[in-house]
Amino acid sequence: MKKHDLLHSGDSIIRVLDVQDDRILVIDCIKHSMPVWVESELLESYVGCTGGELFEVSGVDVIGDTDALDADQRKIMHERYTMIAPMLPFMSDDKVRSKLICSIAEDHQVSKQTVRNYLCLYLSYLDMAVLAPKKRKEDRELTQDEKHMRWALNKFFYTTKKQSLMTAYTMMPKERYCDAMGVLAEEYPSFYQFRYYYRKTRKMQNFYISRDGLKNYQRSNRPLIGEGVREFASAVGVGMLDATVCDIYLINDEGNLVGRPILTACIDAYSSLCCGYSLSWEGGIYSLRGLMLNIIADKVAWCKRYGISIQKEDWDCDMLPGTFVTDMGSEYKSENFEQIAELGVTVINLPSYRPELKGLVEKFFDLIQEMYKKHLKGKGVIEPDY
């Protein structure tokens, strides 16, 4: 009897892991229990067997060539083997083995039973391939009850009426399990089966879109996948355009309320430089006209009109960017604004409800408004509880 021998007796198959005098360390290859020491006389009725017999009795299908596994399976297989590898030299020492199981479980954030399962599985077959996860079976065909449950969910639950799951279930037997006389069939799915099928097949994207609409999903529930500035900011000359209604009410010289001004700005996506702005009472194409004129204006002369003295290098911008990145606002899709393409400027319209793709100009508005709000608090500034 040698180390790693397979022994067979009746329905039991064991593997020899270590031999010391009259004691033999064995593992049950069928039950996958932890290795134990047994006396050699207890194994006299066992005879040798092959690995093929073990696979046939246990029903485990082991892929001999690991190259046949896909990348994910190989990755997980090596991770699991690396987890149990430190224990393999200490199989004969129960105390050391137990301590290693505890420390490995803590280091890898798994349960101790998971570590034991991987260890017993490898020792039973001495093949890393058994540690690879099994491929998922192809989707089976739905049963008739599952088809009825899917129909009820689509008909009564995934709708803008926003009916409850219990209402959808109540309608299902009425529509699918009653005969022409309205008599309910003897057997039909319970509510718990209906709820289980719903939870198993639920996709939150479908849930939000079907009950609240696509626009609400894009605005409030879609996943954030990055700010996207670097997609447009490979070099200087990409301007991000946007407009906002300022959070303040203004009055005229007579003290009469005039309204809230509209700030339109163009920010260079590469350098965050403000290429130009327009502060006006009117939005739309009129504010864009003022913005374009300000972008190409001499900033030194512009600031001098308001009593501010700057040098040219302080705000060196008097040319149109080569690319404009805008949202889907009507003014940016109008024929008037499209004429700017005749000057060689490229206009990129972003999808709806994607402010993070032009986050620099959004942050510009935030910084500008935070500068004056603290000085004008209580004098027309719109508070968060407005």
Side-chain angles (χ1 to χ4, degrees), residues 87-188:
M87 293 185 289
L88 298 180
F90 303 100
M91 284 298 99
S92 57
D93 193 329
D94 295 346
K95 292 184 178 180
V96 175
R97 186 179 66 202
S98 298
K99 290 180 180 179
L100 286 174
I101 290 175
C102 294
S103 62
I104 290 172
E106 184 177 352
D107 292 342
H108 290 82
Q109 299 295 311
V110 296
S111 66
K112 290 184 283 187
Q113 187 58 44
T114 299
V115 179
R116 294 191 191 100
N117 290 340
Y118 293 157
L119 177 63
C120 294
L121 195 61
Y122 175 75
L123 292 176
S124 298
Y125 299 95
L126 293 181
D127 190 339
M128 285 176 56
V130 297
L131 299 176
K134 301 297 184 291
K135 284 187 177 181
R136 280 189 172 186
K137 295 182 179 179
E138 296 182 358
D139 294 338
R140 60 177 178 81
E141 186 177 354
L142 296 178
T143 64
Q144 193 62 40
D145 286 339
E146 288 174 332
K147 290 180 180 179
H148 290 331
M149 289 187 283
R150 182 181 62 181
W151 173 86
L153 287 171
N154 293 334
K155 180 73 174 179
F156 303 110
F157 184 75
Y158 292 120
T159 66
T160 54
K161 294 181 179 179
K162 300 183 180 179
Q163 298 183 117
S164 66
L165 198 64
M166 179 58 79
T167 301
Y169 170 74
T170 305
M171 298 300 293
M172 181 183 69
K174 177 179 178 295
E175 299 289 341
R176 292 301 193 204
Y177 290 92
C178 289
D179 57 19
M181 302 299 294
V183 179
L184 185 63
E186 294 183 0
E187 294 184 0
Y188 58 92

Side-chain angles (χ1 to χ4, degrees), residues 236-261:
V236 174
V238 179
M240 293 186 168
L241 305 183
D242 203 3
T244 188
V245 181
C246 297
D247 296 334
I248 187 171
Y249 280 101
L250 301 183
I251 59 175
N252 58 19
D253 294 338
E254 287 76 24
N256 298 321
L257 180 65
V258 180
R260 296 168 62 181

